[in-house]
Amino acid sequence: MNKYLVAILPPEPIAGEIYNLKEYFRDQYNTKASLNSPAHITLHMPFEFDKEDSLSKIHDLKFDRFEIEFENFGCFEPGVIFIGVKQKQKSD
C-alpha cells in the first residue's frame, strides 16, 4: 500500500518565506529534515491507500483564491516545528 498526504502548497512568495524560516530553524535547532519536504498545510495526516487510480482524479485540483492567516509556532514529536494556521470564526 502507498502512503498519501492531503495538503495545500502555498504559492510564492509565501513558500520562499517559509523556506527561509526552515533554514533558520535548521541552523538554530539542527532541524535538517525540515528541508526535505516543501512548505505545506496538512489537511489530512498521512494515510495508506491502495486505490491509486481513484486519487489521480483529485491530483492538481484548482480552487478559488482564499486567505489563510498564520499565527504562533508549535511543535510535536519527534522534532517537528510548525507555524499555526489561525482559525477563523464561523459567521452564522
Side-chain angles (χ1 to χ4, degrees):
M1 260 194 227
N2 294 314
K3 214 166 200 182
Y4 296 91
L5 166 76
V6 180
I8 297 172
L9 301 176
E12 290 296 342
I14 297 166
E17 291 174 21
I18 293 170
Y19 187 82
N20 291 340
L21 284 170
K22 290 168 101 176
E23 287 182 319
Y24 170 81
F25 283 114
R26 176 201 60 203
D27 296 344
Q28 295 297 311
Y29 304 104
N30 197 29
T31 59
K32 293 179 231 140
S34 68
L35 299 176
N36 294 340
S37 62
H40 63 277
I41 298 169
T42 302
L43 300 178
H44 194 288
M45 296 302 288
F47 60 96
E48 290 183 346
F49 194 70
D50 63 353
K51 304 268 190 222
E52 191 167 327
D53 58 326
S54 298
L55 289 177
S56 67
K57 296 173 187 167
I58 63 169
H59 183 359
D60 290 331
L61 288 176
K62 303 293 182 199
F63 295 92
D64 291 335
R65 185 177 283 269
F66 58 93
E67 289 185 23
I68 296 175
E69 292 182 49
F70 301 104
E71 66 178 356
N72 305 321
F73 289 89
C75 66
F76 55 87
E77 295 298 328
V80 174
I81 300 170
F82 63 88
I83 304 170
V85 175
K86 185 174 183 178
Q87 298 291 315
K88 290 198 172 200
Q89 298 294 328
K90 290 184 179 183
S91 54
D92 295 325

